[in-house]
């Protein structure tokens, strides 16, 4: 499990992974915070399915560190946006002490035309209803992101996990009035959790 996605690693290899991937994406209803966006048509929650592949290196600079390259590919199977989104990413993990480990990642997301149209386009009737300018969004590069995660072992099987993340919407997604006028191109994430190993 990884946020709103779940994956199953099928091959028995130590440093190569691939398998099915399923995901859930929140839609848009009338309960959104921005009053103008709330006047746009509602979007159903999306159920997505696809696959992922990853390869991980052995130790590079120190014992226990590694570089991981992977790509997720998802397609809507519920009819919400009827399109796809592909996310390649690169991560570097290291063990700083016997208790503290870190992981830094960079990523990009590419979306299909129907995905962009569903979430970022504004039709003429929707423009008239909301006051936001009409806009026709196209597919392509949607965002660039970076994140940093640390894990601190409190006891043998229990740990604290902290996460900070940043994404920058780019291209047609960033230029959409949904983002440029009513939202924000910069998206920040901060999280704190508890981990348990088995």
């Amino acid at each position: 499990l990884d946020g709103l996605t779940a994956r199953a690693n099928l091959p028995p290899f130590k440093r190569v992974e691939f398998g099915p991937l399923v995901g859930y994406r929140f839609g848009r209803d009338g309960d959104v915070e921005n009053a103008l966006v709330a006047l746009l048509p509602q979007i159903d929650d999306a159920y997505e399915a696809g696959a992922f592949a990853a390869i991980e290196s052995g130790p590079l600079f120190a014992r226990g560190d590694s570089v991981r390259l992977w790509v997720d590919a998802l397609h809507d199977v519920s009819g919400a946006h009827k399109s796809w989104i592909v996310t390649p990413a690169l991560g570097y993990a290291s063990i700083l002490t016997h208790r503290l480990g870190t992981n830094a990642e960079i990523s990009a997301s590419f979306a299909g035309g129907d995905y962009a149209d569903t979430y970022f386009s504004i039709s003429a009737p929707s423009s008239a209803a909301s006051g936001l300018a009409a806009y026709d969004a196209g597919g392509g590069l949607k965002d660039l992101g970076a994140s940093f995660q640390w894990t601190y072992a409190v006891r043998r099987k229990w740990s604290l996990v902290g996460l900070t993340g940043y994404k920058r919407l780019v291209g047609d997604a960033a230029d959409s009035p949904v983002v440029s006028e009513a939202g924000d191109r910069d998206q920040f994430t901060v999280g704190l959790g508890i981990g348990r190993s088995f």
Side-chain angles (χ1 to χ4, degrees):
L1 295 175
D2 181 13
L4 296 178
T5 63
R7 67 192 72 225
N9 181 34
L10 299 182
F13 312 121
K14 183 178 180 180
R15 302 195 183 279
V16 176
E17 303 175 16
F18 59 83
L21 176 70
V22 294
Y24 174 82
R25 191 176 306 275
F26 288 110
R28 181 174 68 209
D29 57 27
D31 196 31
V32 296
E33 184 175 339
N34 186 278
L36 299 180
V37 176
L39 297 174
L40 296 175
Q42 296 189 9
I43 302 172
D44 292 335
D45 296 343
Y47 298 90
E48 301 165 336
F52 79 98
I55 185 169
E56 185 175 307
S57 74
L60 293 178
F61 309 111
R63 182 180 178 183
D65 74 346
S66 64
V67 170
R68 188 168 187 263
L69 175 65
W70 73 98
V71 61
D72 293 347
L74 285 165
H75 194 282
D76 175 33
V77 295
S78 59
H81 60 80
K82 302 177 183 178
S83 191
W84 53 267
I85 185 164
V86 175
T87 304
L90 178 68
Y92 174 72
S94 63
I95 299 175
L96 301 182
T97 71
H98 71 287
R99 288 182 179 269
L100 180 62
T102 62
N103 185 43
E105 298 177 1
I106 55 174
S107 64
S109 294
F110 298 84
D114 287 340
Y115 178 102
D117 190 51
T118 299
Y119 294 102
F120 300 107
S121 289
I122 301 175
S123 67
S126 296
S127 174
S130 66
L132 295 171
Y135 185 76
D136 184 18
L141 180 61
K142 181 179 80 75
D143 62 60
L144 299 170
S147 65
F148 179 79
Q149 177 179 306
W150 56 265
T151 304
Y152 183 80
V154 179
R155 304 189 66 179
R156 184 168 176 264
K157 292 187 176 182
W158 292 92
S159 59
L160 291 175
V161 181
L163 171 70
T164 57
Y166 169 74
K167 280 189 177 181
R168 173 77 176 183
L169 291 168
V170 297
D172 280 17
D175 293 336
S176 168
V178 175
V179 176
S180 62
E181 296 181 30
D184 197 329
R185 293 182 175 93
D186 300 306
Q187 305 289 311
F188 296 92
T189 303
V190 177
L192 182 65
I194 298 174
R196 189 184 191 280
S197 60
F198 297 90

